[in-house]
Each structure stands twice: as C-alpha cells, then as structure tokens.
Amino acid sequence: MMRLKTEQTAVQPAGTRHSRSSFPFRLGIVPGLILLAGCEAPLNLSGVEQQLQEPVRRTDQIQAVVTAPGLEVAVGSNGLVLHRDNSDSPWQRQVLDSQPNLIDVEICPDSTLIALGFEQQLWRSDDKALSWRPIDLPTPENLLDIACAPDGSYWAVGSFSTLLSSHDRGDTWEENSLGEDAMLSSIQFLADSTAYVTGEFGIVARSDDAGRNWALLDYIPNDFYPQAAHFTTRWRGWVVGLDGMVLQTEDAGMSWQVEPTPVAAPLYGIVEAGGELVALGENGTVLSRRKGQWQSLDVPVIPVWLRDAAQQENGQLLISGGAGTLLSLDIQ
C-alpha cells in the first residue's frame, strides 16, 4: 500500500521546417489568489507576501525532477530551479537569468546537471545545482527532451525529428534529423549501447551503437503520439499518451500492444521505481503497473497535471506537477 506525503502544495542533415504538432507540454490550470477590495476596506496583501517567502509556490509549474545520492533537483517555468540535499531538507529556490522555461533536467555520469530550456538553451551545473551556465543550442527547432548517454554525451530531440548531440560538454554540437516532419518527444539511452527516440505520428527509432546511427522502425499504430516513453531493456518498452493510453512492446519496437488502464485522462510521464512502472497525467493521475495490470493509486484529489518523477534515497517517489506540486509516494 502506498502512502502519500505532500511536500509543498498539494540520419541526414537536419532540416529547417517545424513540426505540424502542437507543443505537448501542458501548463494546466493554476490555482490563483483572488483579491477583493471594497471602497473602504484596505487591500490585504499579507497572503501574497507570505506566499512569496515560500521556496515552492502555487504559481510554480514544475516540469521535471531528478535525484541522486545527496541531491534532489526540480525545474520549471520562468527559470525555476529547486534543490535540496535529501527529502528531509528544505527546498532552496533560485531563478535563472532570463527566466527560461525549463522543461527537463538530467544528471550525467560525471554528476553534471543539465536542464533544457524551451528557448533553444541548455543550462549546465557543475556544483550540484548551486550555479548554472547557459549554453545556446545551434538550431531553430523546438526541443522537448534531453538525455545524458552513458558515455557522457548530451542529446536533445524536438521538431522536424531533430537529434542534437554534443560530445564535449556542450561546446560543440552536431545536428541531424530522421527526415520526418514530426516532433520527437522522448529520447532514452540504455546501458548496452541501445537508444530509443519516439514522437509524433507514432515515430519510433532505435540506435544500436550509442547514437551514431539510427533506424526508423514501423510506426506505432493509429498515429499514436507518445507523450513519454520508458524502456527497461532493448526489447521491452512502454509509451503513454492521450485518453489514458499505454502501449507496450516486447520485440524492440517492432510491434505494440495496448495495455488497458482505468482512466481516460491524458498521461504525460512514465518512470520506473521500486521495480515497478508508474505513469503520471492530468487531474492528479498516478497509475502503477503491478502483475501486468495498471491500477490507480490512492492519492488526494489534486486538479493539476503531473509530468515527472524520480526515486528518492529513502525509496519514495518524488512527483512533480502544476501549481507547485511536489509529492512523495511510499512505494515500498
């Protein structure tokens, strides 16, 4: 049984065309403060001032989280970076210069942190999120996901099926494309030199040589648009998307089968933790896959989107989402 703790508020040269797709990251409905002032009553801003003193606020849109021994980091819109040493420490808040809209964060094998800004920028931290250096990405394409490969290289994917890579910590970049006018929404590297990208119109591509070459596979049926993907081995993987849909492959992306879920809410993220898969989505949706079946987890009613999660040192799952949502689930 899971227990919930609420942390705060509950391969060809790249083209230049942009994808026809709409940007799949959802901003959701943010609860706001409604201030009413009459003719004679003074305006009371104490609630606003108190909220501005908090490290995590109801106006925060927390897009991604990452954890490592002795470190937890969350990033979001308007340059938001939150970090702390562990689940018992208070969050430390900072806002990056130019307030980029940060949509992903990863930790590399050398313990470097990289965060992706929607404004064609990568931000790098070499000191456990205390300071960040911006790196302009040499592409006109919109980028949606990043990854650090086992060899330490940086990768980003996005519109016009673009794959952007750097093997020198972001100093120089190589831009390639799968040649499809489509948005790539996920990239993942496995330890055995296998890598996968997925995206719009059901695109799936695999690399068997750590990203040097990519092969397009058969499309996922019915133009399914994966909002996120997760592979546990070269052969087994899952994708999630709209209408509560989850599909699985057991043959390295050659074919896909629907796995029923108990929800119709859009799903935006999927992670592995504690030996099981967890999917996240709209309206506070959290699903767990146990014994081959997807089931809803018992969490408080929170009318916000949830997008990312990472396992903490204490074994719990840290989940991020809209309206300043950071949740810890006990998955033991």
Side-chain angles (χ1 to χ4, degrees):
M1 179 177 180
M2 295 195 176
R3 297 192 301 275
L4 178 86
K5 179 178 73 175
T6 302
E7 298 264 340
Q8 296 290 339
T9 61
V11 211
Q12 45 188 298
T16 57
R17 292 175 293 162
H18 290 269
S19 167
R20 297 178 303 217
S21 70
S22 61
F23 181 38
F25 108 3
R26 308 290 199 265
L27 289 182
I29 298 174
V30 182
L33 295 173
I34 301 176
L35 302 176
L36 301 178
C39 296
E40 299 181 7
L43 189 62
N44 186 347
L45 297 178
S46 60
V48 177
E49 294 172 355
Q50 181 178 359
Q51 178 68 197
L52 292 177
Q53 301 304 313
E54 298 293 332
V56 184
R57 305 167 187 171
R58 285 175 288 181
T59 53
D60 292 335
Q61 310 303 313
I62 305 175
Q63 297 288 340
V65 293
V66 68
T67 60
L71 182 65
E72 297 183 358
V73 179
V75 302
S77 303
N78 301 314
L80 175 66
V81 176
L82 300 165
H83 66 90
R84 64 182 181 181
D85 296 335
N86 54 62
S87 60
D88 295 323
S89 302
W91 288 103
Q92 303 297 313
R93 181 187 185 92
Q94 60 179 305
V95 175
L96 301 184
D97 293 342
S98 76
Q99 299 187 16
N101 290 299
L102 302 176
I103 56 177
D104 196 13
V105 62
E106 298 290 340
I107 189 164
C108 298
D110 64 356
S111 297
T112 296
L113 288 159
I114 56 173
L116 178 63
F118 192 60
E119 298 80 5
Q120 288 86 27
Q121 275 189 325
L122 190 82
W123 292 75
R124 191 183 76 208
S125 174
D126 300 316
D127 55 8
K128 294 188 175 182
L130 295 177
S131 63
W132 295 80
R133 171 198 167 195
I135 300 172
D136 291 331
L137 299 176
T139 179
E141 305 300 333
N142 293 326
L143 302 172
L144 284 189
D145 198 35
I146 55 172
C148 262
D151 64 2
S153 56
Y154 301 169
W155 292 78
V157 297
S159 58
F160 195 60
S161 61
T162 294
L163 296 104
L164 203 63
S165 61
S166 173
H167 288 78
D168 53 12
R169 288 168 48 88
D171 289 341
T172 61
W173 294 84
E174 179 181 356
E175 183 175 8
N176 291 288
S177 172
L178 299 177
E180 298 282 340
D181 186 9
M183 178 71 79
L184 297 181
S185 54
S186 76
I187 179 168
Q188 181 187 0
F189 284 80
L190 303 176
D192 62 354
S193 298
T194 301
Y196 279 94
V197 295
T198 61
E200 190 181 14
F201 309 123
I203 284 179
V204 184
R206 188 182 68 238
S207 173
D208 296 315
D209 54 12
R212 286 186 291 275
N213 297 282
W214 295 86
L216 277 168
L217 308 180
D218 289 342
Y219 292 102
I220 300 173
N222 302 316
D223 285 340
F224 181 76
Y225 191 161
Q227 298 290 301
H230 183 76
F231 286 80
T232 56
T233 69
R234 181 184 189 277
W235 305 101
R236 300 188 74 197
W238 288 260
V239 292
V240 300
L242 303 183
D243 300 320
M245 291 287 291
V246 178
L247 287 86
Q248 182 201 28
T249 181
E250 294 275 2
D251 53 13
M254 300 304 295
S255 65
W256 296 85
Q257 295 76 43
V258 174
E259 292 194 341
T261 72
V263 300
L267 300 175
Y268 303 139
I270 180 170
V271 299
E272 184 181 9
E276 63 186 51
L277 293 173
V278 176
L280 314 161
E282 196 68 60
N283 296 324
T285 296
V286 182
L287 305 178
S288 176
R289 187 180 189 271
R290 295 178 176 178
K291 298 181 179 180
Q293 303 292 321
W294 288 95
Q295 55 186 281
S296 296
L297 296 185
D298 185 15
V299 299
V301 177
I302 45 177
V304 298
W305 48 264
L306 303 175
R307 186 170 183 263
D308 197 19
Q311 191 166 6
Q312 300 169 288
E313 284 189 271
N314 62 9
Q316 293 183 322
L317 190 66
L318 178 64
I319 300 174
S320 65
T325 300
L326 284 171
L327 307 173
S328 282
L329 280 179
D330 187 350
I331 57 176
Q332 300 301 319

